[in-house]
Amino acid sequence: MPDHEPSSSAQSGERDTAARATKPIGHPPLGKIGFIGLGRMGAVMAANLAAAGHPVNAYVRRPDHLKDLLALGVAPTLNLSDLFDCEIIISMLPDDDAIRAVFFGNQDATRFADHLAPGAIHLSMSTISTAASAEFAHEHQRRGQGYVAAPVFGNPDAARARQLFVVLAGAPVHGERCRPLTDVLGRTIVVGTDPTQANLIKLLGNMMTATSLEVLAELTTVLRKCGHDPQSFVDVMTSTMFDGRVHRIYGSKIVAGNFAPGFVMPLALKDVRLALAEAEKAGVSLPSVGVVHDRLISGIARGHGQLDWTALGLVASEEAGIG
């Protein structure tokens, strides 16, 4: 999910991206689109697809969400069966188990994948493990269906501006069929034909952000402790050696104490655990990620579980006695 926010060229980028997505060259018109997972990110993504002219039908569990989604141009339903005839199903669910429960439940009646038509495509945009991705790809292939992994880098603000980075991998015929959708959401980057490639890149990319946040949290805390303005430090570093979006955007958020939820700590911890498991499987140590793991646990234990992962800055300050 997280990592980027919209740039100053958002409006022109939106127009260009939307034009490419709504008028794909060489693609027949898409049929009915399903969407499962209407959280902070999913709701914005579904609304953008609907605004681009795609017929988006979204499954929701709570009746009080129906009105809000209708206002966004999305057709909501409380019945999963209303999505059985979709050509492409997008999932934006929080973890492996949530996807498995919806698509491949233990009971026949709850196996959503069993009710999809052969040729239907599951476009999984969640951040999940490579093992789960491989499992889901196999199960869909066994049913004559397509599976494409397309996790995204970006937070809800970037999603609103259609500036997500979509990392896509899957069979070319299925990936190209999904491009009119992913191109609406931002920039699509195709990384291969094996869905697990996209999932591993997403997990490791999130670790680059997580470790950057931890370093920013520690160093700005040193400056505060010494009585200096940490924003000056962030300004100097982001105008010289570290001018990337992560340092610029999140550095200022940490200094300002802006920890409004975008990517909450428990979800960040989930990704950290998945990345550590991938590294262990590969026989590689990730000591810096281990530090972030412990700090996230500490932050959640301190009652910050509903805050954004930039609250690593709050944890650092509290542990230094200046929180």
Side-chain angles (χ1 to χ4, degrees), residues 36-102:
I36 303 174
L38 281 295
R40 290 187 182 92
M41 288 286 288
V44 177
M45 293 163 65
N48 282 345
L49 292 173
H54 294 293
V56 180
N57 298 256
Y59 168 68
V60 294
R61 294 177 181 272
R62 293 170 49 185
D64 56 312
H65 286 175
L66 296 175
K67 185 176 179 180
D68 292 339
L69 288 170
L70 281 169
L72 295 174
V74 177
T77 178
L78 297 171
N79 300 309
L80 204 52
S81 60
D82 289 337
L83 305 187
F84 288 170
D85 60 342
C86 287
E87 178 182 353
I88 298 176
I89 296 286
I90 299 171
S91 63
M92 194 63 179
L93 294 161
D95 54 35
D96 299 6
D97 290 341
I99 296 176
R100 189 176 290 109
V102 171

Side-chain angles (χ1 to χ4, degrees), residues 115-283:
H115 299 281
L116 295 176
I121 300 171
H122 176 189
L123 177 60
S124 174
M125 306 192 78
S126 305
T127 303
I128 59 175
S129 70
T130 59
S133 188
E135 172 195 341
F136 302 153
H138 171 75
E139 288 297 327
H140 281 297
Q141 183 180 36
R142 193 167 63 83
R143 293 167 171 82
Q145 300 155 359
Y147 178 79
V148 175
V152 301
F153 287 108
N155 58 23
D157 289 335
R160 289 185 191 93
R162 301 184 187 183
Q163 288 195 333
L164 297 175
F165 292 92
V166 184
V167 183
L168 185 148
V173 65
H174 297 139
E176 283 302 305
R177 193 65 181 139
C178 294
R179 284 294 296 272
L181 301 179
T182 60
D183 286 348
V184 165
L185 303 174
R187 178 184 171 192
T188 303
I189 305 167
V190 179
V191 297
T193 59
D194 179 357
T196 65
Q197 290 175 273
N199 298 114
L200 185 58
I201 288 172
K202 176 58 168 72
L203 285 171
L204 298 182
N206 271 13
M207 295 310 98
M208 291 185 71
T209 301
T211 52
S212 295
L213 293 180
E214 175 59 26
V215 170
L216 283 164
E218 294 173 8
L219 299 184
T220 54
T221 298
V222 171
L223 289 157
R224 281 199 177 96
K225 196 82 173 186
C226 293
H228 299 301
D229 177 14
Q231 186 61 56
S232 296
F233 169 78
V234 171
D235 291 342
V236 169
M237 300 314 297
T238 56
S239 63
T240 55
M241 298 294 291
F242 298 93
D243 61 349
R245 298 177 68 156
V246 168
H247 293 93
R248 282 190 284 105
I249 294 168
Y250 289 127
S252 293
K253 284 192 170 187
I254 288 173
V255 170
N258 179 6
F259 308 130
F263 189 47
V264 293
M265 281 193 160
L267 288 179
L269 180 59
K270 179 264 297 184
D271 287 1
V272 165
R273 285 171 171 157
L274 289 178
L276 289 170
E278 297 286 352
E280 182 177 351
K281 185 168 59 177

Side-chain angles (χ1 to χ4, degrees), residues 103-104 107-108 111-117 142-143 145:
F103 284 83
F104 312 104
Q107 300 178 5
D108 291 343
R111 289 191 194 120
F112 179 61
D114 287 348
H115 299 281
L116 295 176
R142 193 167 63 83
R143 293 167 171 82
Q145 300 155 359

